[in-house]
Amino acid sequence: SQTIHQWPATLVQPVGSPLSLECTVEGTSNPNLYWYRQAAGRGLQLLFYSVGIGQISSEVPQNLSASRPQDRQFILSSKKLLLSDSGFYLCAWNWGRGKNIQYFGAGTRLSVL
Amino acid sequence: AQTVTQSQPEMSVQEAETVTLSCTYDTSESDYYLFWYKQPPSRQMILVIRQEAYKQQNATENRFSVNFQKAAKSFSLKISDSQLGDAAMYFCAYRKYGGSQGNLIFGKGTKLSVKP
């Protein structure tokens, strides 16, 4: 069976510090991978998605970047965090063409102080 | 651009009763998918039910069912025999059909409380 791991679960970082959130998927190959952000009281906003190694598409211009160094690894990064980067970050995956259900990780709560 | 609207920020239901959560969406596509996700206090997003737009029959998963009205672009979720564990945020989501990427477009959610 497939599982998705996301860490850390919570993170408190000062403004201006770097960020690295990691997401890995087990039990499948060549998944589509997604990073979403959920601000307080709001729905999920797509940040990045990837259909393959090294292929990253950005939906919202911002202070964040994403990378996919391996097939089942998706990393969300920032060189310098802003207060507005605080939120709940969710990684998700689905199979490629033909499958449409997305499965989510447990999320990371990021607080930038 | 596609949008998803959930007009009920909060709902409340008595245990064992039935509740319906509303969702409307806007799209020019004829084929697409619609989903309801549940987010309990643990914040994990859990798929509740899925509907393919080309299917006329409403999807059902145990106590959860949908009322899909394609012409009205409406996709409501009915929870029957509500249980305390149903208390959560519920998100309606849209995904277009086909394409190599399949990001979801979410509504802002409805917070459901279940009273014992």
Side-chain angles (χ1 to χ4, degrees):
Chain A
S1 64
Q2 299 78 30
T3 55
I4 179 169
H5 302 281
Q6 191 179 337
W7 66 92
T10 59
L11 190 60
V12 180
Q13 292 285 89
V15 170
S17 64
L19 173 73
S20 181
L21 303 182
E22 189 162 343
C23 172
T24 59
V25 180
E26 296 179 357
T28 186
S29 59
N30 197 30
N32 289 352
L33 296 170
Y34 308 84
W35 278 112
Y36 290 89
R37 177 167 61 197
Q38 185 179 25
R42 303 186 66 179
L44 276 69
Q45 179 186 41
L46 179 68
L47 301 176
F48 301 95
Y49 68 89
S50 171
V51 299
I53 296 175
Q55 300 179 61
I56 308 295
S57 296
S58 174
E59 290 292 306
V60 181
Q62 58 214 322
N63 185 43
L64 303 170
S65 62
S67 62
R68 185 169 177 174
Q70 300 180 41
D71 181 44
R72 291 170 291 175
Q73 184 184 31
F74 204 24
I75 298 172
L76 183 68
S77 304
S78 174
K79 292 182 179 179
K80 289 185 178 180
L81 283 169
L82 305 173
L83 287 174
S84 58
D85 291 325
S86 294
F88 190 66
Y89 290 82
L90 283 157
C91 180
W93 76 275
N94 68 340
W95 278 292
R97 188 184 298 271
K99 300 290 184 179
N100 52 70
I101 298 175
Q102 284 192 18
Y103 301 93
F104 287 81
T108 295
R109 179 177 296 280
L110 173 65
S111 299
V112 183
L113 306 177
Chain B
Q2 295 86 10
T3 59
V4 177
T5 302
Q6 293 178 249
S7 59
Q8 307 154 314
E10 296 187 27
M11 292 282 285
S12 181
V13 63
Q14 203 72 32
E15 192 176 9
E17 297 294 312
T18 296
V19 64
T20 298
L21 308 183
S22 300
C23 173
T24 58
Y25 58 94
D26 187 26
T27 182
S28 58
E29 304 286 337
S30 58
D31 289 327
Y32 48 86
Y33 302 99
L34 296 166
F35 306 85
W36 279 98
Y37 279 88
K38 169 185 177 181
Q39 188 180 41
S42 67
R43 305 298 294 273
Q44 176 102 40
M45 293 287 282
I46 303 166
L47 178 68
V48 175
I49 200 165
R50 174 187 63 165
Q51 175 80 42
E52 290 94 337
Y54 59 86
K55 289 187 178 179
Q56 294 185 340
Q57 185 174 6
N58 289 324
T60 299
E61 287 287 342
N62 300 315
R63 298 182 294 108
F64 299 88
S65 62
V66 298
N67 183 4
F68 173 49
Q69 301 290 327
K70 190 173 184 179
K73 296 180 182 177
S74 172
F75 183 60
S76 61
L77 174 70
K78 185 172 80 171
I79 305 174
S80 304
D81 186 25
S82 296
Q83 301 176 359
L84 295 177
D86 295 334
M89 284 289 290
Y90 286 82
F91 292 95
C92 179
Y94 164 100
R95 178 200 186 276
K96 70 177 183 179
Y97 181 81
S100 59
Q101 65 90 359
N103 60 289
L104 298 171
I105 299 171
F106 285 87
K108 291 187 177 182
T110 297
K111 182 178 182 180
L112 177 66
S113 302
V114 181
K115 297 179 180 179

